[in-house]
Amino acid sequence: MDIAIVGLGKMGGNMAQRLLRAGHRVVVSDFNADSVKKLAGLGAVASTSLGDAVSKLASPRAVWLMIPSGKPVDDTIAQLRPLLSRGDTIIDGGNSNFHDTTRRAGELSGAGIHYVDCGTSGGVWGLDNGYSMMIGGSKEGVERLRPIFESLAPAKDRGWGHVGPSGAGHFTKMVHNGIEYGMMQAFAEGFAIMEKKKDFGLDCRQIAEIWREGSVVRSWLLDLAARALEQNPTLEGVKPWVSDSGEGRWTVQAAIDLDVSAPVITQSLFERFRSREANSYADRMLAVLREQFGGHGVKRG
């Protein structure tokens, strides 16, 4: 099946490679000419622009976007819209806000262009392991792309599914990432407690390996924790700064909008904010308040 991949970052490039391995004809497009050249060397069809990429696709055409959320997606759609025809499909495989997705789908439906949102999980490991895909859009639009989804998934009948109308895929992926925040925070806190118990001399790397087999907390995140500890047991040189890409914030906002209690996800998001405060004003305020009401000592310097 013909498909164009626009955006050849690590995930976009790996997805293109996985589709090539499965025998699909893949047209690639990116601002970085070296990325296009690399994929062309692996069998992809190179293009020099969005217009060139679209012209090299058989109708009905499918264009998969793997680009940053927000304005870059809107700008790319604006360029694609006059190039596409009724029955063509745009797939957004990035982490777009589901509100933006439903808006875009509505705007494109008048031109008869399908807009499919594919929440994609798997990171840099997806090339070999396959991707988990939560897909929103019309039944017709999704079903036509079944061969693509089956090739990208861990197996034809596992790891992917059509979860609902436009926006449902990105909404589901948003919640998936919110859950991920909470799971990561729990692992981080647990390992921190064990690392602090100096009199036991616990080896966090060893314990992570033990937990990977038979434990109720075994998971891919634990596998990755074990791998990180094997590479750097003391996490030497790693700064205590944790970024967020937006999905956790959107999940918390959705919980507020829907009157759903989500304290673990919310707190894990706030802990990421806290990690960025090298000289926390809030912590300093707590210290002086304890000094004021109880005469507790304050460390100064």
Side-chain angles (χ1 to χ4, degrees), residues 58-77:
S59 294
R61 294 163 290 196
V63 180
W64 189 305
L65 308 183
M66 289 302 293
I67 57 180
S69 62
K71 190 174 184 296
V73 177
D74 283 321
D75 289 348
T76 304
I77 291 173

Side-chain angles (χ1 to χ4, degrees), residues 9 50 71 75 85 87 89 92 105 109 117 130 237 262 274 282 288 298:
L50 284 177
K71 190 174 184 296
D75 289 348
S85 305
T89 304
D92 183 356
S109 64
D117 50 300
R274 178 184 172 84
V288 297
V298 175

Side-chain angles (χ1 to χ4, degrees), residues 246-263:
E247 295 84 5
R249 302 181 189 218
W250 302 339
T251 305
V252 171
Q253 185 59 56
I256 294 170
D257 294 342
L258 296 168
D259 293 328
V260 174
S261 176

Side-chain angles (χ1 to χ4, degrees), residues 10 21 26 75 91 98 101 103 105 111-112 118 122 130 136 141 168-169 199 226 235 261 294:
K10 285 186 178 180
R21 291 178 182 179
V26 182
D75 289 348
I91 309 102
F98 72 96
T101 300
R103 169 180 58 80
C118 181
D199 55 322
L235 305 184
S261 176

Side-chain angles (χ1 to χ4, degrees), residues 7-276:
L8 302 176
K10 285 186 178 180
M11 186 175 283
N14 284 350
M15 293 175 78
Q17 289 185 59
R18 191 170 174 89
L19 290 172
L20 287 169
R21 291 178 182 179
H24 296 281
R25 181 175 178 273
V26 182
V27 180
V28 291
S29 176
D30 195 273
F31 289 121
N32 188 328
D34 289 338
S35 296
V36 173
K37 184 177 180 180
K38 177 183 175 181
L39 268 297
L42 296 174
V45 179
S47 67
T48 57
S49 66
L50 284 177
D52 186 37
V54 170
S55 72
K56 292 177 176 176
L57 293 171
S59 294
R61 294 163 290 196
V63 180
W64 189 305
L65 308 183
M66 289 302 293
I67 57 180
S69 62
K71 190 174 184 296
V73 177
D74 283 321
D75 289 348
T76 304
I77 291 173
Q79 294 178 60
L80 283 172
R81 187 166 180 170
L83 302 172
L84 300 178
S85 305
R86 183 171 295 274
D88 291 344
T89 304
I90 297 174
I91 309 102
D92 183 356
N95 285 322
S96 288
N97 187 298
F98 72 96
H99 292 297
D100 290 336
T101 300
T102 54
R103 169 180 58 80
R104 291 165 184 151
E107 292 170 353
L108 290 167
S109 64
I113 298 171
H114 298 288
Y115 193 68
V116 171
D117 50 300
C118 181
T120 310
S121 181
V124 297
W125 303 91
L127 174 60
D128 295 320
N129 298 339
Y131 297 92
S132 172
M133 292 170 291
M134 300 136 266
I135 303 161
S138 68
K139 183 177 180 180
E140 177 188 357
V142 173
E143 192 59 31
R144 189 178 77 79
L145 296 168
R146 174 177 286 274
I148 297 295
F149 297 133
E150 290 179 343
S151 295
L152 289 172
K156 286 187 175 183
D157 58 348
R158 289 188 291 110
W160 75 280
H162 182 198
V163 298
S166 295
H170 281 151
F171 181 85
T172 306
K173 177 57 163 47
M174 175 193 76
V175 176
H176 164 284
N177 284 21
I179 293 169
E180 180 184 292
Y181 276 41
M183 292 173 67
M184 291 171 68
Q185 185 67 30
F187 275 125
E189 292 175 7
F191 281 110
I193 293 167
M194 292 188 292
E195 192 276 336
K196 195 76 170 180
K197 186 65 174 171
K198 301 297 186 184
D199 55 322
F200 278 175
L202 300 173
D203 182 344
C204 289
R205 180 202 58 77
Q206 177 202 24
I207 292 164
E209 289 294 340
I210 292 171
W211 287 353
R212 291 179 66 195
E213 304 295 337
S215 165
V216 295
V217 298
R218 66 187 184 276
S219 65
W220 187 42
L221 282 176
L222 179 59
D223 293 342
L224 296 178
R227 183 174 183 266
L229 289 168
E230 181 180 9
Q231 294 173 344
N232 188 354
T234 63
L235 305 184
E236 183 179 357
V238 179
K239 291 184 179 180
W241 172 286
V242 187
S243 62
D244 73 287
S245 53
E247 295 84 5
R249 302 181 189 218
W250 302 339
T251 305
V252 171
Q253 185 59 56
I256 294 170
D257 294 342
L258 296 168
D259 293 328
V260 174
S261 176
V264 173
I265 294 173
T266 303
Q267 186 59 35
S268 67
L269 174 64
F270 287 172
E271 284 298 318
R272 294 194 178 197
F273 297 159
R274 178 184 172 84
S275 77
R276 304 167 203 173

Side-chain angles (χ1 to χ4, degrees), residues 286 288-296:
L286 283 171
V288 297
L289 284 173
R290 291 182 75 249
E291 180 185 37
Q292 291 295 321
F293 76 72
H296 302 289

